[in-house]
Amino acid sequence: MTQPPVLPPNDTATAEPGAEQAGRPRGALSWALWDWGSAAFNAVVTTFVFTVYITSSSFGEAGTVEAQLGWALAAAGLLIAVLAPVMGQRSDNRGRRKLWLGVNTYIVVVLTAAMFFVQPAPEYLLLGLVLLAAGNVFFEFAGVNYNAMLNQVSTPASIGRVSGFGWGMGYVGGIVLLLIVYFGFISPEVGLFGVTGENGMDIRITVLVSAVWFAVFALPVLLRVPEFRQPASAARERIGFFASYGRLVRDIARLWRERRNVVWFLLASAVFRDGLAGVFTFGGVLAASVFGFSAGEVIIFAIVANVTAGASTIAVGVLDDRLGAKPVIITALAGLVASGLIVFFLHDGGQLVFWTAGLALTLFVGPAQSASRTFLARIIPAGREGEVFGLYATTGRAVSFLAPTMFALFVTIGGEPYFGILGIVLVLAVGLALLIPVKAEAKALD
């Protein structure tokens, strides 16, 4: 496991892209702590706790509430796809990456805290869905600016380690928070401070704890990492919001002409990143429906899976810097395809199969996610990080239907839940095939 990047003295001055002090980037650890804190939204709200809560029988009939959740998240995805690249472009040009990271982060914190008011009754379902969808939108906006800051807190020689460390911190933060809320509030009949499951209070307190968690661990990046300033040579005229779309179209056309490799990578990564998301989205479902895991066993598996993913992501960051991001992504995707096929063909082997091959899947997910971010960061034209990472978010959202659709289609064709594994494997394999022709430009391996 790599050591955390050394944190230099506090400095609130502004910074040019890739600014360094005495050969070291500023605030890498502080930057990574945002990933640690963001696990409150990723792990607790959208994956293992709140979404499970609002799709329970307390809110409506089975099948109906899941469909409404899907529509709410689809609407959120549409907003992200339309707005993310322009928001990133404007934060680049105005030199306000950190400002908008802070604004969007604390909007998510407020929305997460407001989920406390979602009581377990059908009339509260709409409130829960609106808060969840809005939280997803602003979380993605925050992520655009957060990812764009990667070049500010790393050097060309350390970008893989820093990205891997940040992504690994997110997994580890999810583990710690899940342990706290599970053993502190959800699992015991009477939890900390006398909290019980009556009226959903254990879940409602959990989202409050999550809001505080994110609020606290988002502070270091805002206090210690210098604000981005667009270099004078790259400064662009400030224009209105709607005029930004015209500029965006022109910039994409120019990107296609001058950096076509970036565009191809955005397309390839959109496909395989949706497959990566599918691994975690449907992992718990498969564990319960195919391999007989109880609800508590699913959470335990989730914790172990996050440990595995976090450790591998941090460790593989070293290989990213030495070999380049593309070999890491290709190896990870090939490992995911192989592990998924093992889970499918040996599904009759019971829980032992899922504990081994299933954990092997999580071993490869983190490195693929982290290396994807560093590959793009290395080939983005200087000063356009926010815009291109906005496109990164948009392309990912544009095909976010792939994994769920293929999962559902294969389950329908095969008649058994485990056939859904083939759908996820297919998405990963297509993403791998699209990535292979993408060239790792010379800059990517500097």
Side-chain angles (χ1 to χ4, degrees):
M1 184 177 294
T2 58
Q3 295 298 316
V6 176
L7 186 67
N10 187 22
D11 190 334
T12 56
T14 59
E16 301 286 327
E20 299 172 22
Q21 182 175 355
R24 288 190 180 276
R26 302 171 183 174
L29 177 57
S30 298
W31 176 83
L33 283 173
W34 188 92
D35 254 322
W36 171 284
S38 71
F41 192 77
N42 278 330
V44 174
V45 174
T46 64
T47 305
F48 296 115
V49 180
F50 188 73
T51 50
V52 175
Y53 171 64
I54 63 171
T55 53
S56 68
S57 59
S58 298
F59 291 89
E61 295 182 1
T64 301
V65 288
E66 289 87 351
Q68 290 174 322
L69 172 65
W71 285 116
L73 295 180
L78 178 62
L79 283 174
I80 293 164
V82 171
L83 296 174
V86 167
M87 300 294 283
Q89 175 201 108
R90 292 173 70 80
S91 70
D92 282 344
N93 196 45
R94 293 176 181 267
R96 294 179 177 176
R97 281 182 192 163
K98 188 168 72 169
L99 169 65
W100 287 109
L101 172 62
V103 169
N104 290 313
T105 294
Y106 284 98
I107 289 176
V108 175
V109 168
V110 171
L111 292 169
T112 302
M115 292 175 189
F116 171 81
F117 298 103
V118 180
Q119 299 181 38
E123 58 267 29
Y124 288 93
L125 176 61
L126 180 60
L127 174 62
L129 293 176
V130 169
L131 291 173
L132 181 64
N136 269 274
V137 171
F138 287 102
F139 185 81
E140 288 286 349
F141 289 169
V144 168
N145 288 288
Y146 175 74
N147 287 334
M149 294 172 72
L150 176 57
N151 280 328
Q152 293 172 239
V153 296
S154 63
T155 67
S158 69
I159 189 171
R161 293 192 297 277
V162 172
S163 177
F165 179 68
W167 214 288
M169 287 282 280
Y171 284 119
V172 177
I175 297 161
V176 175
L177 185 56
L178 281 171
L179 286 170
I180 291 172
V181 299
Y182 180 70
F183 291 107
F185 303 106
I186 297 174
S187 179
E189 290 187 13
V190 180
L192 297 175
F193 313 113
V195 171
T196 67
E198 184 177 356
N199 201 30
M201 191 56 68
D202 52 351
I203 304 300
R204 294 163 61 197
I205 290 294
T206 289
V207 294
L208 277 182
V209 172
S210 299
V212 173
W213 179 277
F214 199 4
V216 170
F217 289 107
L219 286 173
V221 67
L222 302 176
L223 296 177
R224 296 185 66 87
V225 177
E227 178 61 282
F228 167 80
R229 289 285 182 252
Q230 185 75 281
S233 59
R236 308 174 82 181
E237 178 187 0
R238 292 188 177 184
I239 58 177
F241 180 81
F242 292 103
S244 297
Y245 283 95
R247 173 179 284 176
L248 176 64
V249 171
R250 294 190 296 272
D251 285 347
I252 292 174
R254 182 160 63 94
L255 196 65
W256 174 255
R257 292 193 304 269
E258 299 175 1
R259 295 291 184 92
R260 193 164 299 185
N261 217 40
V262 175
V263 178
W264 282 119
F265 179 73
L266 287 172
L267 294 174
S269 69
V271 175
F272 71 69
R273 282 186 293 133
D274 192 53
L276 298 175
V279 171
F280 272 105
T281 300
F282 297 106
V285 174
L286 291 169
S289 62
V290 177
F291 296 93
F293 282 58
S294 67
E297 288 172 335
V298 169
I299 292 182
I300 297 301
F301 179 84
I303 292 170
V304 178
N306 275 274
V307 170
T308 304
S312 66
T313 303
I314 294 171
V316 172
V318 177
L319 294 179
D320 186 328
D321 287 326
R322 292 179 180 176
L323 304 177
K326 184 178 177 181
V328 171
I329 302 172
I330 288 178
T331 301
L333 292 178
L336 283 161
V337 169
S339 300
L341 290 175
I342 290 172
V343 173
F344 174 76
F345 286 112
L346 300 182
H347 67 274
D348 286 334
Q351 293 190 2
L352 179 61
V353 170
F354 199 77
W355 272 108
T356 52
L359 283 180
L361 281 165
T362 64
L363 186 72
F364 296 112
V365 169
Q369 291 172 320
S370 176
S372 178
R373 179 166 66 183
T374 59
F375 186 100
L376 186 58
R378 285 171 170 138
I379 63 176
I380 293 175
R384 295 176 65 185
E385 290 86 356
E387 173 197 334
V388 177
F389 271 112
L391 290 172
Y392 188 65
T394 293
T395 52
R397 285 289 178 170
V399 299
S400 61
F401 63 90
L402 278 178
T405 301
M406 289 298 100
F407 182 88
L409 179 62
F410 274 80
V411 170
T412 302
I413 293 172
E416 296 288 346
Y418 65 85
F419 275 90
I421 300 168
L422 291 180
I424 297 173
V425 166
L426 178 61
V427 175
L428 292 167
V430 171
L432 174 59
L434 291 173
L435 175 66
I436 289 173
V438 177
K439 298 178 180 178
E441 297 178 8
K443 178 184 174 184
L445 298 177
D446 285 344

